[in-house]
Amino acid sequence: MVAVLALYARSFGVGQSAIGAAIAVYGLARFLLAVPGGRLADAAGRRSVLALGGLVSAAGNLVCAYAPSYPLFIGGRFVAGAGAGLVLIGGQVVLADITTPANRGRTMAIYQGVFLFAVGVGPLPGGLLAERFGLASPFLVYAIAGTLAAAVGWFQIPETRAAPGSGAAVSAADLPAFAAQIRLLTGRIGFVLATLISLMIAVARTGALFNVIPVLARDRLGLSADRIGTGLALASLVGLVLIYPSGMLVDRVGRKLLIVPATLMSAAAMLVFLLAPSYGWFLAACVVWSLATGVSGPAPAAYAADVAPPGMNAAAMSTFRMLSDAGYVLGPLALGLITDVLGADAALATAAALLAAVAVLFARYAPETYRTR
């Protein structure tokens, strides 16, 4: 979708802000569906959520492909985002069900690595399809892929809601109501701080890396779009290479020992972007960012799953996902507003300060949940 979304939205004759809305509404749907998706996973089962998410995503993309107007296109994007949110929640809850603290980090690293690879490679077939068959064709292919994902979710993935030894095999009668589970989880300082770490990484990624930094690189360093794209692609590649080794480290040395320095490194990357005097320094900032996100990798999600009481995996992962996805909505809006009022330097400095602050809070107050030694 990345290769064609802005062009397709512009074909309705709308401005740049409306194009941004087509991007933001997808994240908004994921945010709003996170907790309901977790509750549905407990009530109807994990594979039901996966299958439903695939079908909803397919329906939303069909609406996008055949939308006669911009408002209907936006509605289709919201529906597609809701389906994607259900799939993401279902997948993470399944992982929490089938893992133990001893192997959770590397298992979630595999999941995240595949996700990052798909996000990175997706624009290539999307662009080729649009060039050969028109701007609507990627939406149609995405609808087919969503239907196939629904079939895999329903027919191939075993139900893990009561998997023996997973921590999910607790009678529903023995558990408090779903809302009470969420209140219990959000009363645990480690869980709150882990979600706050994930939220701030999302704010920095979507608000700074995707929104402010490309404009700053063009205006201050005179970089062309292809050179900016090369740097950001380098960041994705390095992060992808590091994701599984970081998962192994998370399972060996502990969650906290990676989360804190990696978050501080993310803050440092924002400052390097801010101060970069040349393209070489811009590339260095991209590498620092990718090292930080690659090292932290699955650690916050593994931490959130660690602190979930038995039987509360769905509540834990859906709440973690909801608060993390809030960063995808807040980041572009908040840092964009700061840029408009105070300038890009202030936006990047704010992102760096917030990342450093949550790292210090996590270091001070979050207990370690697992390490082998």
Side-chain angles (χ1 to χ4, degrees):
M1 296 294 96
V2 173
V4 301
L5 185 58
L7 298 176
Y8 190 74
R10 182 166 288 174
S11 70
F12 292 100
V14 298
Q16 193 66 39
S17 60
I19 294 173
I23 299 172
V25 73
Y26 194 87
L28 177 63
R30 282 174 43 176
F31 168 75
L32 294 176
L33 263 290
V35 169
R39 187 167 187 175
L40 184 62
D42 264 356
R46 291 27 170 165
R47 66 177 191 151
S48 298
V49 170
L50 290 169
L52 179 62
L55 293 176
V56 171
S57 179
N61 281 287
L62 282 176
V63 172
C64 291
Y66 292 108
S69 64
Y70 175 77
L72 194 57
F73 169 66
I74 285 292
R77 284 287 293 167
F78 183 88
V79 173
L86 290 173
V87 171
L88 286 171
I89 289 301
Q92 285 205 312
V93 174
V94 167
L95 292 185
D97 287 345
I98 65 174
T99 56
T100 65
N103 64 6
R104 185 165 287 144
R106 73 197 82 174
T107 305
M108 289 191 170
I110 295 171
Y111 183 84
Q112 188 171 342
V114 172
F115 181 84
L116 291 175
F117 170 78
V119 170
V121 79
L124 175 60
L128 293 174
L129 285 167
E131 188 69 25
R132 186 173 295 253
F133 301 108
L135 291 175
S137 60
F139 294 95
L140 293 173
V141 174
Y142 194 174
I144 295 171
T147 305
L148 292 174
V152 171
W154 183 254
F155 292 109
Q156 295 297 319
I157 296 179
E159 181 54 61
T160 63
R161 180 171 41 173
S166 67
V170 177
S171 171
D174 297 330
L175 293 173
F178 199 83
Q181 295 179 38
I182 293 176
R183 286 195 297 271
L184 175 63
L185 287 162
T186 53
R188 299 190 172 193
I189 186 64
F191 181 84
V192 172
L193 290 174
T195 57
L196 193 59
I197 290 280
S198 186
L199 184 148
M200 288 313 309
I201 292 293
V203 166
R205 178 181 288 112
T206 59
L209 195 68
F210 293 171
N211 191 18
V212 176
I213 288 169
V215 177
L216 184 69
R218 181 197 63 195
D219 294 346
R220 181 174 298 175
L221 301 179
L223 300 182
S224 60
D226 61 334
R227 299 183 83 187
I228 296 171
T230 298
L232 297 181
L234 176 65
S236 297
L237 180 62
V238 174
L240 178 62
V241 170
L242 288 176
I243 194 72
Y244 187 74
S246 73
M248 296 181 66
L249 279 175
V250 165
D251 286 341
R252 181 158 183 81
V253 304
R255 319 321 192 191
K256 189 172 180 177
L257 198 59
L258 290 184
I259 290 174
V260 173
T263 307
L264 290 173
M265 194 183 301
S266 299
M270 293 293 106
L271 295 179
V272 178
F273 277 120
L274 189 159
L275 300 172
S278 64
Y279 184 53
W281 279 99
F282 175 81
L283 291 178
C286 290
V287 170
V288 174
W289 171 263
S290 61
L291 286 172
T293 54
V295 167
S296 65
Y303 188 102
D306 288 345
V307 300
M312 298 188 189
N313 287 338
M317 301 318 295
S318 60
T319 305
F320 175 81
R321 187 78 264 160
M322 179 191 70
L323 296 176
S324 300
D325 282 346
Y328 286 85
V329 181
L330 296 175
L333 297 176
L335 295 188
L337 179 62
I338 292 173
T339 300
D340 288 340
V341 176
L342 300 174
D345 287 359
L348 294 185
T350 299
L354 290 173
L355 285 165
V358 296
V360 171
L361 287 173
F362 195 90
R364 175 65 180 84
Y365 295 108
E368 179 60 80
T369 58
Y370 178 80
R371 64 161 60 111
T372 58
R373 292 180 300 171

